[in-house]
Amino acid sequence: MSRIGKRPVSVPAGVTATLADGRLSVKGPKGELSIVTHDDISYAVEDGRISVGPANTTRRARDFWGMQRTLVQNLVTGVTEGFTKTLEITGVGYRANAQGNTLKLQLGYSHDVDFAIPEGITVKTPDQTTVEISGIDRQKVGQVAAEIRRWRKPEPYKGKGIKYRGEFIFRKEGKKK
């Protein structure tokens, strides 16, 4: 029995959810998102709520139940509020600058890194050491943040690199004298 899956997803005012042709579509003020429905899961859209439940008693249906409910919740949250990830850049001379559809990163390499921003994602740089990635699709926002972070992961000695806001970097002690 899934504790997460049991709770229905509430659909706020101004958001419409439709279930047709094997797709659950949610349309709201920020845009429209949809997912492909799973055969082992039953979906019901009724009076301002989306209910998710197992379609049969198989182990696979029970395994997917909570995850599918979370995906539906992410659709509703995405079209109403959106998702944001913040990256912090630490290091001497390390900086970022958003220019149109590219993010220019200076990360200590002999060349600048030009990162192409995908469609549906907005990137802001409030200052040179902060990058804010936002969009309506949670998976896409997280993927873009991970791809940017991959250019210079934080190292454990001085902590230089790109890290998520709130991420703890376990620092090593270094050589003893």
Side-chain angles (χ1 to χ4, degrees):
M1 191 54 108
S2 173
R3 294 181 190 184
I4 294 172
K6 280 193 274 186
R7 294 184 296 152
V9 177
S10 63
V11 179
V15 176
T16 59
T18 56
L19 185 62
D21 300 329
R23 293 189 79 78
L24 176 67
S25 299
V26 179
K27 187 182 280 189
K30 290 198 175 246
E32 182 176 3
L33 289 172
S34 66
I35 59 168
V36 177
T37 58
H38 202 273
D39 294 337
D40 292 331
I41 304 296
S42 64
Y43 303 85
V45 179
E46 57 209 15
D47 49 280
R49 297 186 328 193
I50 303 171
S51 300
V52 179
N56 49 44
T57 58
T58 62
R59 163 102 188 183
R60 184 177 167 142
R62 286 181 286 134
D63 289 346
F64 278 61
W65 183 13
M67 180 190 66
Q68 290 296 316
R69 190 258 181 213
T70 303
L71 292 175
V72 171
Q73 178 67 52
N74 287 343
L75 294 180
V76 174
T77 305
V79 297
T80 53
E81 303 164 21
F83 295 99
T84 302
K85 283 246 187 209
T86 305
L87 298 174
E88 296 172 342
I89 301 172
T90 308
V92 177
Y94 290 11
R95 58 182 138 265
N97 188 15
Q99 300 172 342
N101 267 357
T102 60
L103 177 68
K104 189 176 277 305
L105 298 166
Q106 295 175 343
L107 299 172
Y109 296 120
S110 61
H111 59 282
D112 291 350
V113 175
D114 290 332
F115 182 80
I117 301 167
E119 193 173 319
I121 299 293
T122 57
V123 174
K124 296 178 191 160
T125 50
D127 57 67
Q128 292 182 338
T129 60
T130 306
V131 179
E132 291 179 356
I133 303 147
S134 58
I136 63 172
D137 189 355
R138 184 175 189 168
Q139 192 274 334
K140 196 182 268 189
V141 169
Q143 182 67 35
V144 169
E147 287 174 5
I148 293 171
R149 183 180 182 271
R150 188 172 53 199
W151 280 101
R152 183 70 84 174
K153 288 184 180 173
E155 51 99 358
Y157 297 102
K158 292 184 179 178
K160 298 190 318 184
I162 303 173
K163 67 179 185 121
Y164 298 111
R165 176 165 285 163
E167 179 182 12
F168 177 74
I169 306 300
F170 183 74
R171 302 281 298 271
K172 290 188 176 179
E173 209 171 295
K175 289 185 177 179
K176 294 185 178 174
K177 296 182 180 184

